[in-house]
Amino acid sequence: MDNITNEEKQQSIEAFQSVIRKSENALASMKSGSAQSRLLEKRLKAARIGEGLLAARWEGKELDVSHDELVEAKQVLEGLLLMLPGFLEKTKPGSGQRTYIERRIKAFQMAVSYLNE
């Protein structure tokens, strides 16, 4: 994972930022305290940690989160990685949606890989 181009790094950060934006927007319209909102909050937290982890790793900075938060983020991202290929199968080759999902998968894989270290 060390031979990643600057373009791939940028696309991975943008994939996480997109997940964060969409999650924040969805959360704003949900009933607070519901099972769906709690799940989305966990995913949002994992996405923020994933984005921070990639940025910290590539910029040589420290990530200020606890070990427990890293473990939880890893579990959430791994769970999302299991779901994403199903969405990928429903898209047409060469479509913008397919490219978007492929970039998200790659970003999540990188973050999980770094979390495994």
Side-chain angles (χ1 to χ4, degrees), residues 1 4 8 11-12 54 81 101-111:
M1 285 270 162
I4 301 164
E8 290 171 318
Q11 289 171 349
S12 295
L54 295 183
L81 275 171
I101 294 170
E102 288 170 344
R103 287 179 183 168
R104 185 180 282 183
I105 290 171
K106 189 169 188 167
F108 286 12
Q109 286 172 334
M110 282 188 242

Side-chain angles (χ1 to χ4, degrees), residues 6 11 25 42 52-53 61 76 89-90 98 102-103:
N6 286 335
Q11 289 171 349
N25 290 337
K42 282 178 75 169
L53 176 68
K61 297 180 181 177
V76 170
E89 292 173 6
K90 297 176 186 176
R98 185 175 191 88
E102 288 170 344
R103 287 179 183 168

